[in-house]
Amino acid sequence: MSRIASLLLAASAFALSANAETIAITHAKIETASAAGTIEDGTLVIKDGKIAAVGAHVAVPSGARVIDAKGGVVTPGLFAASTDLTAVEVGGVRSTHEESAKLGAAFDVQYGINPASTLVPLARQTGLTRVMVTPVSPRGFGGDQDENVGEEFTAGTDSEGVAASSLFGGRAAGVVLKAGDTDPVFAPKAAVAVDLGDAGARVAGSHGAALQLLKTALEDARSYGKRRAAYENGQTRAYSLSHEELEALQPVLAGKAPLLARVHSAGDIRQLLKLAKEQHIKLVLEGAEEAWLVADALAATKTPVIIDTEQDLPQQFESLGARLDNAARLEKAGVLFAISGSRSFNELRQARFNAGTAVANGLSYAAAIKAVTVNPARIWGLEAKLGTLAPGKEADVVLWNGDPLETTTWPVTVIIAGVEQPQGSRGFELRDRYLHVNDGMPSAYH
């Protein structure tokens, strides 16, 4: 049996044996991220992959494996609200990029997810248990950044240069980071992503033109949805999108999936809110450095926002109003928001550090914890199962050696769906392989 097959078999055996395990974490400071708030010295019980009980006076079930937290902090598993983890392996190697394609809105990122990514164990070491993998337009994602810009791509199918579809990145997918899980997508087609602002202007010529192209795309998809039979018989006007894209936008128009819009300036956000009202669609905003300027409108329309709280400099004209207390101001206005870091696959630990920075700039600690746990779940419609430490929820749990928002703190134990996860990584394997060269193995092994 090969080494790889042995490792896979061992991982499967590990998962199967651990699934039936009952675990009790005792003497923990429990941040529930729910209405129960913080439990200063509590016990959390996990059974059959779910949270069975949590509280200050919970009894440990007979036969349970006990983990003594010794005063450590327990939180829900962290949830990255928007990332390319599992869709990108090496930044400089284009063949490992699965986060964008030529299909526009029809692109479905779930088909490129790599469950064997060597970056998944690293993500677990930062306390992440779930991520939403969001595709980007081949020319998308922000300002004048070079990241993810591929001039070789022309999303969409119009050979005449009609570029409405190239605004779209495609459909997002929720991925669980459980070791040994070969089918980790648990929330397919969770949203359709579109890049506006400067990124949209690169396609359409200006910010306003990008919004006009988006409006045309939505109106075409709505017309198509009402006249499918006529479309199949060639009895409709020409649409700006392909058949596959028109189909992909139907859940957005029906309110079953949100439109994830990457937008930055207050002016663009106001225009987008107006468009969403006209089209009766749900929005999720990403970027939104100037969200604080339109916080009341975001709260009134119940529009959630994904922000990077470290974005406090006017790096682009569209983010002149960026400031460190964006999150605090959104909290005060009653806006639902999640905090991200770099969406990059290898820098996901930044999200919790950014939450700590937001606390230093006026955000409440409880809101910061929610912004990296339950709020992403709520934004993506998964709150009923994920995001808090409450009975009946999926047991995604992290035990930390200190305050999870501090840079020197790391997870001691990571549990996903009731299964304690291995702490190894590719880096650790290489360290161990070359640390002891006199182990009797053939020299070629080293």
Side-chain angles (χ1 to χ4, degrees):
M1 182 181 296
S2 70
R3 176 179 171 81
I4 294 177
S6 299
L7 290 173
L8 290 174
L9 182 60
S12 299
F14 164 79
L16 289 172
S17 63
N19 269 334
E21 189 175 34
T22 298
I23 301 173
I25 303 176
T26 61
H27 303 299
K29 180 179 180 180
I30 303 175
E31 299 286 355
T32 66
S34 71
T38 303
I39 301 168
E40 292 296 337
D41 184 2
T43 297
L44 184 142
V45 177
I46 297 168
K47 184 177 181 181
D48 297 329
K50 308 284 186 181
I51 295 173
V54 58
H57 307 289
V58 171
V60 175
S62 175
R65 179 163 70 92
V66 176
I67 299 175
D68 186 349
K70 300 178 180 177
V73 178
V74 169
T75 69
L78 306 191
F79 192 147
S82 180
T83 179
D84 56 20
L85 181 70
T86 70
V88 177
E89 191 72 11
V90 181
V93 180
R94 184 63 185 89
S95 61
T96 69
H97 288 224
E98 296 285 343
E99 87 285 23
S100 64
K102 301 178 181 179
L103 301 177
F107 174 55
D108 193 340
V109 77
Q110 69 167 310
Y111 296 109
I113 297 299
N114 177 18
S117 170
T118 57
L119 303 169
V120 169
L122 287 176
R124 286 197 302 266
Q125 288 179 347
T126 71
L128 278 169
T129 57
R130 311 263 173 171
V131 297
M132 184 59 67
V133 183
T134 56
V136 296
S137 162
R139 298 180 182 183
F141 210 80
D144 296 327
Q145 298 175 26
D146 292 329
E147 184 180 31
N148 298 318
V149 176
E151 294 297 335
E152 71 273 26
F153 296 120
T154 53
T157 59
D158 193 329
S159 61
E160 299 301 318
V162 177
S165 60
S166 61
L167 292 174
F168 294 102
R171 289 172 284 185
V175 172
V176 61
L177 306 183
K178 188 176 178 182
D181 191 339
T182 57
D183 187 16
V185 175
F186 69 95
K189 298 179 175 59
V192 174
V194 62
D195 289 282
L196 299 172
D198 283 1
R202 284 199 291 269
V203 173
S206 73
H207 289 212
L211 286 163
Q212 285 181 263
L213 285 179
L214 174 59
K215 181 179 181 181
T216 298
L218 294 172
E219 290 176 346
D220 282 357
R222 194 179 302 280
S223 173
Y224 162 82
K226 293 177 179 177
R227 306 186 65 198
R228 276 190 172 92
Y231 177 88
E232 296 296 338
N233 292 322
Q235 297 174 342
T236 62
R237 61 177 172 81
Y239 293 135
S240 61
L241 305 178
S242 69
H243 173 258
E244 291 78 9
E245 287 184 283
L246 294 168
E247 280 290 344
L249 287 172
Q250 296 307 308
V252 174
L253 296 172
K256 296 179 180 177
L259 185 72
L260 170 63
R262 299 190 178 98
V263 64
H264 307 276
S265 73
D268 283 349
I269 293 172
R270 288 193 187 96
Q271 292 295 332
L272 191 56
L273 292 177
K274 188 185 299 182
L275 177 61
K277 183 178 181 181
E278 292 172 357
Q279 297 293 326
H280 306 289
I281 62 173
K282 297 178 181 176
L283 286 176
V284 175
L285 307 185
E286 183 176 4
E289 287 84 355
E290 294 188 351
W292 65 274
L293 286 169
V294 289
D296 289 344
L298 293 170
T301 56
K302 301 185 185 304
T303 302
V305 179
I306 302 168
I307 57 172
D308 180 344
T309 55
E310 288 284 318
Q311 295 298 320
D312 67 322
L313 296 175
Q315 295 180 349
Q316 310 295 336
F317 190 79
E318 62 182 347
S319 59
L320 288 177
R323 52 188 297 159
L324 277 171
D325 61 354
N326 194 10
R329 289 169 179 261
L330 294 179
E331 179 189 23
K332 185 177 181 180
V335 178
L336 174 62
F337 64 93
I339 292 177
S340 66
S342 167
R343 61 175 272 110
S344 189
F345 51 90
N346 59 356
E347 298 181 279
L348 294 173
R349 61 182 179 177
Q350 287 182 355
R352 64 184 176 94
F353 299 160
N354 288 354
T357 300
V359 172
N361 288 275
L363 182 68
S364 71
Y365 187 87
I369 292 292
K370 290 180 179 178
V372 292
T373 55
V374 67
N375 286 2
R378 188 175 297 161
I379 287 171
W380 298 120
L382 301 165
E383 184 187 7
K385 296 182 178 178
L386 301 170
T388 62
L389 299 180
K393 294 290 186 73
E394 291 277 337
D396 290 0
V397 180
V398 181
L399 168 59
W400 306 85
N401 64 358
D403 182 344
L405 305 188
E406 291 287 347
T407 56
T408 55
T409 297
W410 292 95
V412 176
T413 302
V414 177
I415 296 171
I416 301 178
V419 179
E420 184 172 353
Q421 300 299 298
Q423 292 292 310
S425 68
R426 177 64 173 160
F428 285 175
E429 290 175 359
L430 289 172
R431 176 202 63 186
D432 295 341
R433 179 172 177 173
Y434 293 104
L435 187 63
H436 305 292
V437 296
N438 299 318
D439 57 4
M441 298 294 291
S443 58
Y445 178 81
H446 301 292

PDB file of all heavy atoms in Angstrom, residues 390-419:
ATOM      1  N   ALA A 390     -24.392  26.949  21.021  1.00  0.00           N
ATOM      2  CA  ALA A 390     -25.722  26.752  21.586  1.00  0.00           C
ATOM      3  C   ALA A 390     -26.177  25.321  21.305  1.00  0.00           C
ATOM      4  O   ALA A 390     -25.793  24.739  20.280  1.00  0.00           O
ATOM      5  CB  ALA A 390     -26.708  27.747  20.981  1.00  0.00           C
ATOM      6  N   PRO A 391     -26.964  24.736  22.181  1.00  0.00           N
ATOM      7  CA  PRO A 391     -27.417  23.360  21.970  1.00  0.00           C
ATOM      8  C   PRO A 391     -28.085  23.186  20.605  1.00  0.00           C
ATOM      9  O   PRO A 391     -28.896  24.008  20.184  1.00  0.00           O
ATOM     10  CB  PRO A 391     -28.415  23.147  23.115  1.00  0.00           C
ATOM     11  CG  PRO A 391     -27.928  24.056  24.194  1.00  0.00           C
ATOM     12  CD  PRO A 391     -27.431  25.285  23.470  1.00  0.00           C
ATOM     13  N   GLY A 392     -27.702  22.104  19.929  1.00  0.00           N
ATOM     14  CA  GLY A 392     -28.268  21.798  18.622  1.00  0.00           C
ATOM     15  C   GLY A 392     -27.438  22.275  17.453  1.00  0.00           C
ATOM     16  O   GLY A 392     -27.633  21.808  16.322  1.00  0.00           O
ATOM     17  N   LYS A 393     -26.508  23.202  17.694  1.00  0.00           N
ATOM     18  CA  LYS A 393     -25.662  23.700  16.606  1.00  0.00           C
ATOM     19  C   LYS A 393     -24.561  22.687  16.259  1.00  0.00           C
ATOM     20  O   LYS A 393     -24.160  21.871  17.094  1.00  0.00           O
ATOM     21  CB  LYS A 393     -25.014  25.031  16.999  1.00  0.00           C
ATOM     22  CG  LYS A 393     -25.998  26.178  17.180  1.00  0.00           C
ATOM     23  CD  LYS A 393     -26.588  26.617  15.848  1.00  0.00           C
ATOM     24  CE  LYS A 393     -27.465  27.860  15.992  1.00  0.00           C
ATOM     25  NZ  LYS A 393     -26.681  29.082  16.233  1.00  0.00           N
ATOM     26  N   GLU A 394     -24.087  22.776  15.013  1.00  0.00           N
ATOM     27  CA  GLU A 394     -22.925  21.984  14.625  1.00  0.00           C
ATOM     28  C   GLU A 394     -21.768  22.309  15.585  1.00  0.00           C
ATOM     29  O   GLU A 394     -21.521  23.481  15.889  1.00  0.00           O
ATOM     30  CB  GLU A 394     -22.514  22.321  13.196  1.00  0.00           C
ATOM     31  CG  GLU A 394     -23.495  21.872  12.133  1.00  0.00           C
ATOM     32  CD  GLU A 394     -23.317  20.417  11.757  1.00  0.00           C
ATOM     33  OE1 GLU A 394     -22.216  19.883  11.966  1.00  0.00           O
ATOM     34  OE2 GLU A 394     -24.291  19.815  11.274  1.00  0.00           O
ATOM     35  N   ALA A 395     -21.085  21.275  16.025  1.00  0.00           N
ATOM     36  CA  ALA A 395     -20.033  21.473  17.027  1.00  0.00           C
ATOM     37  C   ALA A 395     -18.724  21.866  16.351  1.00  0.00           C
ATOM     38  O   ALA A 395     -17.779  21.075  16.244  1.00  0.00           O
ATOM     39  CB  ALA A 395     -19.858  20.219  17.867  1.00  0.00           C
ATOM     40  N   ASP A 396     -18.661  23.114  15.880  1.00  0.00           N
ATOM     41  CA  ASP A 396     -17.410  23.727  15.422  1.00  0.00           C
ATOM     42  C   ASP A 396     -16.912  24.577  16.588  1.00  0.00           C
ATOM     43  O   ASP A 396     -17.491  25.630  16.896  1.00  0.00           O
ATOM     44  CB  ASP A 396     -17.652  24.607  14.202  1.00  0.00           C
ATOM     45  CG  ASP A 396     -17.994  23.806  12.952  1.00  0.00           C
ATOM     46  OD1 ASP A 396     -18.035  22.569  13.034  1.00  0.00           O
ATOM     47  OD2 ASP A 396     -18.224  24.429  11.902  1.00  0.00           O
ATOM     48  N   VAL A 397     -15.850  24.130  17.218  1.00  0.00           N
ATOM     49  CA  VAL A 397     -15.427  24.713  18.491  1.00  0.00           C
ATOM     50  C   VAL A 397     -13.902  24.869  18.498  1.00  0.00           C
ATOM     51  O   VAL A 397     -13.185  23.981  18.015  1.00  0.00           O
ATOM     52  CB  VAL A 397     -15.850  23.805  19.667  1.00  0.00           C
ATOM     53  CG1 VAL A 397     -15.401  24.407  20.997  1.00  0.00           C
ATOM     54  CG2 VAL A 397     -17.353  23.577  19.663  1.00  0.00           C
ATOM     55  N   VAL A 398     -13.431  25.991  19.043  1.00  0.00           N
ATOM     56  CA  VAL A 398     -11.985  26.205  19.171  1.00  0.00           C
ATOM     57  C   VAL A 398     -11.653  26.552  20.617  1.00  0.00           C
ATOM     58  O   VAL A 398     -12.298  27.418  21.217  1.00  0.00           O
ATOM     59  CB  VAL A 398     -11.501  27.336  18.246  1.00  0.00           C
ATOM     60  CG1 VAL A 398      -9.981  27.527  18.389  1.00  0.00           C
ATOM     61  CG2 VAL A 398     -11.851  27.045  16.793  1.00  0.00           C
ATOM     62  N   LEU A 399     -10.656  25.851  21.169  1.00  0.00           N
ATOM     63  CA  LEU A 399     -10.108  26.192  22.481  1.00  0.00           C
ATOM     64  C   LEU A 399      -8.787  26.914  22.257  1.00  0.00           C
ATOM     65  O   LEU A 399      -7.891  26.399  21.582  1.00  0.00           O
ATOM     66  CB  LEU A 399      -9.887  24.913  23.300  1.00  0.00           C
ATOM     67  CG  LEU A 399      -9.061  25.063  24.600  1.00  0.00           C
ATOM     68  CD1 LEU A 399      -9.715  26.049  25.566  1.00  0.00           C
ATOM     69  CD2 LEU A 399      -8.861  23.699  25.258  1.00  0.00           C
ATOM     70  N   TRP A 400      -8.686  28.140  22.799  1.00  0.00           N
ATOM     71  CA  TRP A 400      -7.510  28.984  22.595  1.00  0.00           C
ATOM     72  C   TRP A 400      -6.651  29.020  23.863  1.00  0.00           C
ATOM     73  O   TRP A 400      -7.172  28.862  24.973  1.00  0.00           O
ATOM     74  CB  TRP A 400      -7.945  30.405  22.246  1.00  0.00           C
ATOM     75  CG  TRP A 400      -8.878  30.515  21.085  1.00  0.00           C
ATOM     76  CD1 TRP A 400     -10.236  30.384  21.109  1.00  0.00           C
ATOM     77  CD2 TRP A 400      -8.528  30.783  19.717  1.00  0.00           C
ATOM     78  NE1 TRP A 400     -10.756  30.547  19.841  1.00  0.00           N
ATOM     79  CE2 TRP A 400      -9.730  30.802  18.975  1.00  0.00           C
ATOM     80  CE3 TRP A 400      -7.324  31.018  19.067  1.00  0.00           C
ATOM     81  CZ2 TRP A 400      -9.747  31.041  17.598  1.00  0.00           C
ATOM     82  CZ3 TRP A 400      -7.345  31.254  17.693  1.00  0.00           C
ATOM     83  CH2 TRP A 400      -8.540  31.263  16.983  1.00  0.00           C
ATOM     84  N   ASN A 401      -5.355  29.356  23.654  1.00  0.00           N
ATOM     85  CA  ASN A 401      -4.471  29.487  24.818  1.00  0.00           C
ATOM     86  C   ASN A 401      -4.481  30.897  25.394  1.00  0.00           C
ATOM     87  O   ASN A 401      -3.644  31.229  26.236  1.00  0.00           O
ATOM     88  CB  ASN A 401      -3.041  29.062  24.467  1.00  0.00           C
ATOM     89  CG  ASN A 401      -2.408  29.962  23.419  1.00  0.00           C
ATOM     90  OD1 ASN A 401      -3.035  30.886  22.917  1.00  0.00           O
ATOM     91  ND2 ASN A 401      -1.167  29.667  23.066  1.00  0.00           N
ATOM     92  N   GLY A 402      -5.392  31.710  24.939  1.00  0.00           N
ATOM     93  CA  GLY A 402      -5.518  33.076  25.435  1.00  0.00           C
ATOM     94  C   GLY A 402      -6.620  33.797  24.693  1.00  0.00           C
ATOM     95  O   GLY A 402      -7.530  33.162  24.136  1.00  0.00           O
ATOM     96  N   ASP A 403      -6.538  35.112  24.650  1.00  0.00           N
ATOM     97  CA  ASP A 403      -7.526  35.920  23.950  1.00  0.00           C
ATOM     98  C   ASP A 403      -7.397  35.681  22.443  1.00  0.00           C
ATOM     99  O   ASP A 403      -6.344  35.973  21.856  1.00  0.00           O
ATOM    100  CB  ASP A 403      -7.280  37.400  24.277  1.00  0.00           C
ATOM    101  CG  ASP A 403      -8.294  38.327  23.642  1.00  0.00           C
ATOM    102  OD1 ASP A 403      -9.010  37.900  22.723  1.00  0.00           O
ATOM    103  OD2 ASP A 403      -8.360  39.501  24.063  1.00  0.00           O
ATOM    104  N   PRO A 404      -8.426  35.187  21.777  1.00  0.00           N
ATOM    105  CA  PRO A 404      -8.297  34.870  20.348  1.00  0.00           C
ATOM    106  C   PRO A 404      -8.061  36.077  19.458  1.00  0.00           C
ATOM    107  O   PRO A 404      -7.680  35.912  18.297  1.00  0.00           O
ATOM    108  CB  PRO A 404      -9.639  34.203  20.021  1.00  0.00           C
ATOM    109  CG  PRO A 404     -10.570  34.633  21.092  1.00  0.00           C
ATOM    110  CD  PRO A 404      -9.744  34.830  22.312  1.00  0.00           C
ATOM    111  N   LEU A 405      -8.273  37.278  19.970  1.00  0.00           N
ATOM    112  CA  LEU A 405      -8.043  38.468  19.160  1.00  0.00           C
ATOM    113  C   LEU A 405      -6.627  39.023  19.320  1.00  0.00           C
ATOM    114  O   LEU A 405      -6.288  40.054  18.740  1.00  0.00           O
ATOM    115  CB  LEU A 405      -9.076  39.553  19.508  1.00  0.00           C
ATOM    116  CG  LEU A 405     -10.547  39.130  19.388  1.00  0.00           C
ATOM    117  CD1 LEU A 405     -11.458  40.327  19.560  1.00  0.00           C
ATOM    118  CD2 LEU A 405     -10.815  38.439  18.051  1.00  0.00           C
ATOM    119  N   GLU A 406      -5.798  38.353  20.128  1.00  0.00           N
ATOM    120  CA  GLU A 406      -4.411  38.761  20.299  1.00  0.00           C
ATOM    121  C   GLU A 406      -3.509  38.001  19.321  1.00  0.00           C
ATOM    122  O   GLU A 406      -3.749  36.822  19.021  1.00  0.00           O
ATOM    123  CB  GLU A 406      -3.948  38.482  21.732  1.00  0.00           C
ATOM    124  CG  GLU A 406      -4.591  39.366  22.785  1.00  0.00           C
ATOM    125  CD  GLU A 406      -4.048  40.799  22.742  1.00  0.00           C
ATOM    126  OE1 GLU A 406      -3.017  41.024  22.069  1.00  0.00           O
ATOM    127  OE2 GLU A 406      -4.658  41.666  23.394  1.00  0.00           O
ATOM    128  N   THR A 407      -2.449  38.659  18.857  1.00  0.00           N
ATOM    129  CA  THR A 407      -1.576  38.050  17.853  1.00  0.00           C
ATOM    130  C   THR A 407      -0.750  36.888  18.391  1.00  0.00           C
ATOM    131  O   THR A 407      -0.295  36.040  17.631  1.00  0.00           O
ATOM    132  CB  THR A 407      -0.605  39.107  17.287  1.00  0.00           C
ATOM    133  OG1 THR A 407       0.131  39.686  18.371  1.00  0.00           O
ATOM    134  CG2 THR A 407      -1.361  40.206  16.567  1.00  0.00           C
ATOM    135  N   THR A 408      -0.517  36.837  19.706  1.00  0.00           N
ATOM    136  CA  THR A 408       0.313  35.773  20.278  1.00  0.00           C
ATOM    137  C   THR A 408      -0.503  34.553  20.700  1.00  0.00           C
ATOM    138  O   THR A 408       0.046  33.613  21.267  1.00  0.00           O
ATOM    139  CB  THR A 408       1.077  36.305  21.503  1.00  0.00           C
ATOM    140  OG1 THR A 408       0.149  36.865  22.429  1.00  0.00           O
ATOM    141  CG2 THR A 408       2.083  37.365  21.088  1.00  0.00           C
ATOM    142  N   THR A 409      -1.791  34.577  20.433  1.00  0.00           N
ATOM    143  CA  THR A 409      -2.668  33.473  20.846  1.00  0.00           C
ATOM    144  C   THR A 409      -2.885  32.512  19.683  1.00  0.00           C
ATOM    145  O   THR A 409      -3.030  32.930  18.534  1.00  0.00           O
ATOM    146  CB  THR A 409      -4.023  34.042  21.305  1.00  0.00           C
ATOM    147  OG1 THR A 409      -3.811  34.868  22.454  1.00  0.00           O
ATOM    148  CG2 THR A 409      -4.983  32.919  21.664  1.00  0.00           C
ATOM    149  N   TRP A 410      -2.939  31.215  20.031  1.00  0.00           N
ATOM    150  CA  TRP A 410      -3.156  30.191  19.002  1.00  0.00           C
ATOM    151  C   TRP A 410      -4.131  29.136  19.522  1.00  0.00           C
ATOM    152  O   TRP A 410      -4.263  28.960  20.728  1.00  0.00           O
ATOM    153  CB  TRP A 410      -1.836  29.517  18.621  1.00  0.00           C
ATOM    154  CG  TRP A 410      -0.931  30.450  17.914  1.00  0.00           C
ATOM    155  CD1 TRP A 410       0.069  31.199  18.470  1.00  0.00           C
ATOM    156  CD2 TRP A 410      -0.963  30.794  16.530  1.00  0.00           C
ATOM    157  NE1 TRP A 410       0.660  31.971  17.519  1.00  0.00           N
ATOM    158  CE2 TRP A 410       0.054  31.752  16.318  1.00  0.00           C
ATOM    159  CE3 TRP A 410      -1.750  30.389  15.450  1.00  0.00           C
ATOM    160  CZ2 TRP A 410       0.300  32.308  15.079  1.00  0.00           C
ATOM    161  CZ3 TRP A 410      -1.501  30.938  14.201  1.00  0.00           C
ATOM    162  CH2 TRP A 410      -0.482  31.889  14.024  1.00  0.00           C
ATOM    163  N   PRO A 411      -4.772  28.414  18.624  1.00  0.00           N
ATOM    164  CA  PRO A 411      -5.680  27.353  19.059  1.00  0.00           C
ATOM    165  C   PRO A 411      -4.935  26.188  19.717  1.00  0.00           C
ATOM    166  O   PRO A 411      -3.867  25.791  19.244  1.00  0.00           O
ATOM    167  CB  PRO A 411      -6.344  26.891  17.761  1.00  0.00           C
ATOM    168  CG  PRO A 411      -6.144  28.004  16.795  1.00  0.00           C
ATOM    169  CD  PRO A 411      -4.836  28.635  17.175  1.00  0.00           C
ATOM    170  N   VAL A 412      -5.499  25.696  20.780  1.00  0.00           N
ATOM    171  CA  VAL A 412      -4.990  24.488  21.424  1.00  0.00           C
ATOM    172  C   VAL A 412      -5.709  23.270  20.860  1.00  0.00           C
ATOM    173  O   VAL A 412      -5.110  22.227  20.590  1.00  0.00           O
ATOM    174  CB  VAL A 412      -5.203  24.552  22.957  1.00  0.00           C
ATOM    175  CG1 VAL A 412      -4.757  23.263  23.623  1.00  0.00           C
ATOM    176  CG2 VAL A 412      -4.476  25.754  23.543  1.00  0.00           C
ATOM    177  N   THR A 413      -7.004  23.409  20.667  1.00  0.00           N
ATOM    178  CA  THR A 413      -7.834  22.328  20.135  1.00  0.00           C
ATOM    179  C   THR A 413      -8.825  22.914  19.140  1.00  0.00           C
ATOM    180  O   THR A 413      -9.452  23.936  19.415  1.00  0.00           O
ATOM    181  CB  THR A 413      -8.621  21.632  21.267  1.00  0.00           C
ATOM    182  OG1 THR A 413      -7.696  21.122  22.237  1.00  0.00           O
ATOM    183  CG2 THR A 413      -9.465  20.492  20.725  1.00  0.00           C
ATOM    184  N   VAL A 414      -8.938  22.259  17.997  1.00  0.00           N
ATOM    185  CA  VAL A 414      -9.924  22.660  16.992  1.00  0.00           C
ATOM    186  C   VAL A 414     -10.842  21.471  16.725  1.00  0.00           C
ATOM    187  O   VAL A 414     -10.373  20.369  16.420  1.00  0.00           O
ATOM    188  CB  VAL A 414      -9.253  23.107  15.678  1.00  0.00           C
ATOM    189  CG1 VAL A 414     -10.308  23.450  14.621  1.00  0.00           C
ATOM    190  CG2 VAL A 414      -8.347  24.309  15.928  1.00  0.00           C
ATOM    191  N   ILE A 415     -12.124  21.700  16.856  1.00  0.00           N
ATOM    192  CA  ILE A 415     -13.128  20.648  16.660  1.00  0.00           C
ATOM    193  C   ILE A 415     -14.078  21.096  15.552  1.00  0.00           C
ATOM    194  O   ILE A 415     -14.597  22.211  15.578  1.00  0.00           O
ATOM    195  CB  ILE A 415     -13.908  20.394  17.963  1.00  0.00           C
ATOM    196  CG1 ILE A 415     -12.956  19.861  19.049  1.00  0.00           C
ATOM    197  CG2 ILE A 415     -15.068  19.421  17.730  1.00  0.00           C
ATOM    198  CD1 ILE A 415     -13.584  19.787  20.432  1.00  0.00           C
ATOM    199  N   ILE A 416     -14.299  20.225  14.582  1.00  0.00           N
ATOM    200  CA  ILE A 416     -15.231  20.520  13.490  1.00  0.00           C
ATOM    201  C   ILE A 416     -16.276  19.416  13.421  1.00  0.00           C
ATOM    202  O   ILE A 416     -15.935  18.233  13.325  1.00  0.00           O
ATOM    203  CB  ILE A 416     -14.499  20.636  12.140  1.00  0.00           C
ATOM    204  CG1 ILE A 416     -13.438  21.748  12.197  1.00  0.00           C
ATOM    205  CG2 ILE A 416     -15.492  20.906  11.012  1.00  0.00           C
ATOM    206  CD1 ILE A 416     -12.635  21.912  10.911  1.00  0.00           C
ATOM    207  N   ALA A 417     -17.536  19.818  13.489  1.00  0.00           N
ATOM    208  CA  ALA A 417     -18.653  18.865  13.465  1.00  0.00           C
ATOM    209  C   ALA A 417     -18.447  17.756  14.502  1.00  0.00           C
ATOM    210  O   ALA A 417     -18.749  16.584  14.237  1.00  0.00           O
ATOM    211  CB  ALA A 417     -18.853  18.288  12.066  1.00  0.00           C
ATOM    212  N   GLY A 418     -17.909  18.118  15.645  1.00  0.00           N
ATOM    213  CA  GLY A 418     -17.753  17.160  16.735  1.00  0.00           C
ATOM    214  C   GLY A 418     -16.482  16.346  16.696  1.00  0.00           C
ATOM    215  O   GLY A 418     -16.262  15.507  17.571  1.00  0.00           O
ATOM    216  N   VAL A 419     -15.631  16.566  15.697  1.00  0.00           N
ATOM    217  CA  VAL A 419     -14.423  15.766  15.539  1.00  0.00           C
ATOM    218  C   VAL A 419     -13.198  16.640  15.794  1.00  0.00           C
ATOM    219  O   VAL A 419     -13.008  17.657  15.118  1.00  0.00           O
ATOM    220  CB  VAL A 419     -14.341  15.163  14.121  1.00  0.00           C
ATOM    221  CG1 VAL A 419     -13.054  14.350  13.968  1.00  0.00           C
ATOM    222  CG2 VAL A 419     -15.560  14.298  13.847  1.00  0.00           C
TER     223      VAL A 419
END
